[in-house]
Amino acid sequence: MSAVKPQHQSLLIVDFGSQVTQLIARRVRETGVYCEIHPFDKVNADFLASFRPAAVILSGGPASVHEAFSPAVDVAVFDLNVPVLGICYGEQTMCATLGGVVEPGTTREFGRAEIQIVRDSPLFEGLGGVDHRETVWMSHGDKVTALPVGFEPIAVSDGSPYAAIAHEARRLYAVQFHPEVAHTPRGAVMLRNFTHRIAGLSGDWTMAAFREESIARIRAQVGSGRVICGLSGGVDSSVAAVLIHEAIGDQLTCVFVDTGLMRANEAQEVVTLFRDHYNIPLVHVDAGEVFLGALAGVSDPETKRKIIGRLFVEIFDAEAGKIGGAGFLAQGTLYPDVIESVSVTGGPSVVIKSHHNVGGLPERMKMKLVEPLRELFKDEVRVLGRELGLPPAFVGRHPFPGPGLAIRIPGEITPEAVSILQKADLIWLDEIRKAGLYDTNWQAFAVLLPVRTVGVMGDARTYERVLALRAVTSTDGMTADFFEFPWDVLGRAATRIVNEVRGVNRVVYDVTSKPPGTIEWE
């Protein structure tokens, strides 16, 4: 990814493989500071000269600096004369690079801990001063046992004499804990202190500015060319399409491949929004029968994904061929996709994000990509959608996976199963909205399980399907926990589903959580 426009102050995050590196970026973006994540092995003197960061953060990571071939920070980072903050492994590699000592710890610190501030520092401004104790989240086995010249401890913990350190004159700081996670309650204050007090960044990155700059970039890239956008009906591709249309007008044509696996009524909502509200040229391909036919008898979830991805690309390719002169393909690629494609923890070196995150685009298409959202996280896309004037209900729509209901029907996909799930899912969301809880959840949906149970309804015995309801809370889709629904809401939803949806006689609520480090929740 290229460096940002020079009028923005930008912060560089050097990634050493932590599963929560993206959270650092989210916290920094929340302060209005633009930042990018780049893997440690790409950050050298040449890269730094091109990127020109105003500040640097070194992320955590799973390695041990005292082991052979462990990741290391390029010493050129410390020659920039800009503030640097090391987090966890970032502290350890900073110390090892600058002449300190890191050794395996005799005891480990994992989970909630307390640090005691032992010296005034701008990093802890507003937290309580010397001797104040602050709750943080630790996750390390190694520890720093000797500091580089010029560094002093500014906080200690029971397990670490150097829980936070600083070389104030050089504006080099490091902490052994993770300020980016929610379990460090005032970690965001520390990060803002670093970006604004120490680095002096103004927080000049706003969504209004992003909108204006994106429009200018799109116009410069496309010129008088034509763009085709693969529209899924989800928030990402929809926001991308509206942004591109604002930039180039009718040079954009959207192709909406309706797989027949969307939620009830959503296909028509997409068509109405883009054709009637925005008057964006739209090709609507109703391919439900084709997809359901190809999925008949298939139960394996990955096989379903590949079938759906292959069919989507084939149909999209055929429709694109009917639109003459299109040299650009627009996609709703987001920043997490970009980060994952160059992951230091084993991600592929090159990833072309297809509409359904499977398959790929045929090489014969030879189209240049237009990806206006590739700098944004999911929640930032929603902010941009509101900035562009999309209806709040549409912008706030829960994420929906590319393969659609196919992966929410474990087992064989049949028209009957799709119909049952669409009806039940509609009731579930309706009850959530009536309770005023839709916007409280990151994602809520129903799953039609491949299980049948015996029940009694009235005077008759039934043998029908079990439906699972799921709802999770999250801010960025990177970590999630189940939502504790009031029993009366669950009761109303379950009663309505059993009464109104023929084919279901039992409803359960799923209380699983999503661990950090995974991107997609389905």
Side-chain angles (χ1 to χ4, degrees):
M1 185 175 180
S2 62
V4 298
K5 284 182 170 289
Q7 65 259 36
H8 286 303
Q9 299 170 308
S10 56
L11 181 146
L12 169 65
I13 298 172
V14 183
D15 184 15
F16 292 96
S18 169
Q19 62 182 355
V20 291
T21 297
Q22 291 187 40
L23 288 179
I24 303 174
R26 289 299 306 116
R27 300 293 87 81
V28 171
R29 294 268 185 100
E30 286 167 3
T31 71
V33 172
Y34 183 83
C35 63
E36 290 184 13
I37 299 171
H38 290 273
F40 75 94
D41 56 349
K42 305 297 182 184
V43 177
N44 52 35
D46 290 340
F47 172 88
L48 293 169
S50 172
F51 191 89
R52 291 175 292 140
V56 178
I57 294 179
L58 311 177
S59 86
S64 295
V65 298
H66 51 77
E67 295 178 348
F69 309 112
S70 61
V73 60
D74 193 309
V75 70
V77 167
F78 304 110
D79 295 332
L80 293 172
N81 194 30
V82 301
V84 181
L85 172 66
I87 294 176
C88 198
Y89 184 87
E91 177 187 57
Q92 295 165 10
T93 190
M94 177 188 288
C95 287
T97 301
L98 297 178
V101 178
V102 181
E103 298 177 348
T106 54
T107 60
R108 300 184 298 174
E109 278 189 303
F110 287 93
R112 188 170 284 105
E114 277 195 344
I115 60 168
Q116 181 179 1
I117 297 173
V118 296
R119 184 173 279 102
D120 284 327
S121 171
L123 188 65
F124 296 142
E125 185 73 26
L127 295 184
V130 174
D131 292 332
H132 171 73
R133 302 185 71 86
E134 186 74 22
T135 299
V136 299
W137 188 262
M138 294 281 192
S139 181
H140 67 99
D142 298 341
K143 69 177 183 179
V144 177
T145 56
L147 295 180
V149 174
F151 280 81
E152 295 179 320
I154 57 175
V156 300
S157 71
D158 291 342
S160 176
Y162 305 122
I165 60 175
H167 190 312
E168 301 283 2
R170 295 184 64 186
R171 296 184 296 171
L172 303 180
Y173 299 82
V175 296
Q176 190 58 78
F177 52 89
H178 287 272
E180 71 272 26
V181 302
H183 302 297
T184 301
R186 295 205 286 179
V189 175
M190 302 176 200
L191 289 172
R192 184 179 180 86
N193 282 340
F194 176 73
T195 58
H196 287 63
R197 291 182 181 275
I198 294 170
L201 304 182
S202 61
D204 64 349
W205 192 71
T206 66
M207 199 52 67
F210 177 86
R211 173 186 181 180
E212 292 179 5
E213 292 164 10
S214 295
I215 289 171
R217 282 199 297 264
I218 294 166
R219 288 172 178 166
Q221 179 186 7
V222 174
S224 60
R226 293 182 60 81
V227 179
I228 298 175
C229 178
L231 193 64
S232 70
V235 174
D236 303 339
S237 64
S238 298
V239 171
V242 172
L243 180 63
I244 294 169
H245 185 257
E246 186 167 304
I248 61 173
D250 288 350
Q251 292 172 241
L252 169 71
T253 299
C254 292
V255 177
F256 173 39
V257 179
D258 183 355
T259 65
L261 299 167
M262 297 183 70
R263 283 173 156 158
N265 306 323
E266 284 195 350
Q268 188 54 49
E269 290 175 6
V270 171
V271 174
T272 299
L273 178 67
F274 281 85
R275 279 187 179 162
D276 298 346
H277 185 75
Y278 282 102
N279 197 30
I280 296 176
L282 174 68
V283 177
H284 177 204
V285 185
D286 187 354
E289 291 186 5
V290 175
F291 280 87
L292 288 173
L295 290 168
V298 178
S299 297
D300 179 69
E302 289 307 308
T303 303
K304 291 177 186 177
R305 284 177 173 274
K306 290 176 181 178
I307 290 172
I308 293 168
R310 173 181 57 80
L311 280 176
F312 176 86
V313 170
E314 289 176 358
I315 294 170
F316 181 84
D317 187 25
E319 293 300 324
K322 300 175 185 178
I323 303 171
F328 297 89
L329 173 68
Q331 296 189 143
T333 306
L334 302 188
Y335 195 40
D337 304 312
V338 177
I339 297 168
E340 289 298 300
S341 72
V342 293
S343 169
V344 300
T345 57
S349 59
V350 177
V351 172
I352 297 178
K353 179 179 180 289
S354 75
H355 179 71
H356 290 287
N357 301 316
V358 289
L361 299 172
E363 291 185 7
R364 65 180 179 277
M365 291 183 73
K366 299 186 185 303
M367 302 176 78
K368 297 178 181 178
L369 291 178
V370 179
E371 298 175 310
L373 308 183
R374 61 182 284 118
E375 296 173 355
L376 302 183
F377 287 92
K378 185 75 173 186
D379 50 325
E380 292 174 323
V381 174
R382 297 188 192 280
V383 176
L384 177 59
R386 289 190 285 271
E387 176 75 25
L388 290 166
L390 271 81
F394 193 90
V395 174
R397 180 178 287 174
H398 289 177
F400 192 67
L405 299 180
I407 57 168
R408 293 179 179 169
I409 304 176
E412 184 179 359
I413 309 295
T414 65
E416 178 192 22
V418 172
S419 177
I420 289 173
L421 186 54
Q422 284 177 330
K423 293 174 183 176
D425 191 73
L426 190 65
I427 292 171
W428 176 220
L429 296 182
D430 182 53
E431 288 299 327
I432 292 174
R433 287 190 175 96
K434 286 178 178 177
L437 297 173
Y438 185 85
D439 293 334
T440 304
N441 288 271
W442 168 264
Q443 193 177 36
F445 54 90
V447 178
L448 188 61
L449 302 178
V451 177
R452 294 180 182 270
T453 63
V454 175
V456 175
M457 299 180 68
D459 296 323
R461 190 176 299 276
T462 63
Y463 184 62
E464 295 178 335
R465 304 285 287 269
V466 178
L467 188 92
L469 303 178
R470 175 176 286 173
V472 296
T473 58
S474 180
T475 57
D476 45 31
M478 295 168 56
T479 59
D481 202 357
F482 66 90
F483 183 73
E484 296 185 26
F485 264 102
W487 284 110
D488 59 331
V489 178
L490 289 174
R492 285 195 299 271
T495 299
R496 282 191 59 192
I497 290 169
V498 171
N499 286 339
E500 299 175 29
V501 182
R502 189 172 297 276
V504 176
N505 68 359
R506 181 162 299 176
V507 176
V508 298
Y509 185 58
D510 184 352
V511 294
T512 55
S513 297
K514 172 185 171 185
T518 52
I519 298 300
E520 194 171 25
W521 178 281
E522 298 177 346

